[in-house]
Amino acid sequence: THYLESGRGAPLLAIHGGNSMSAAWAPLAPALAANSHLIMVDRPGCGLTDKLNYRGVSFRQHSVKFTREFLDSIGVRKTSIIANSMGGYFALAFALAYPERVDKLILIGSPPLIIDSVPSTHVLLGIPGLNRFIYAMKATKESFGGPSTPPSWLYARPEQRRPESVIAQQSADALP
């Protein structure tokens, strides 16, 4: 499991969302690390953390186990957690299973799987065949001259994406 850390003080675990990576927290890192020991983790299959085949895996149990084992491996018994999107799901599942290990929980955006409806764009990505086609088109675009940028529909304000965030995402996408 890959992670980045910065700052000193009480631990603050940052769990990124979706198809992202720990470096996505870079624009907020100076402020978050000003008064804490900021720990930014790459979830399984993201950034530099090893891939994981989720078939047949209880996602909630996996979310709890991954978070617990990661914190145990770096010697953190109790932490505050800041998380967004899918990272919020990991944080909520862990906090419900181990409330004594969570000081504060800060959620940015709605974690998936806690609302009754799924956005139509996410439904499309869940259709076998269509999702492979979408990602193949993305790979084709990258191989024919241009770095990929995250789709604008993933952002509330795509026009405000910071260049360093786009570069970090492009670098993560280029990993084998």
Side-chain angles (χ1 to χ4, degrees), residues 94-115:
F94 180 75
L96 288 169
Y98 294 98
E100 71 281 2
R101 295 193 67 177
V102 178
D103 186 35
K104 295 179 180 104
L105 189 59
I106 306 135
L107 301 177
I108 303 170
S110 176
L113 309 174
I114 63 166
I115 56 175

Side-chain angles (χ1 to χ4, degrees), residues 15 43-44 52 54 57-70 86-95 97-98 113:
I15 309 175
R43 290 185 303 102
L52 176 70
Y54 283 99
V57 173
S58 164
F59 194 68
R60 184 172 180 163
Q61 289 174 359
H62 163 71
S63 300
V64 171
K65 181 180 177 193
F66 171 79
T67 307
R68 183 191 72 237
E69 288 180 355
F70 172 71
M86 185 58 76
Y89 182 84
F90 275 61
L92 281 170
F94 180 75
Y98 294 98
L113 309 174

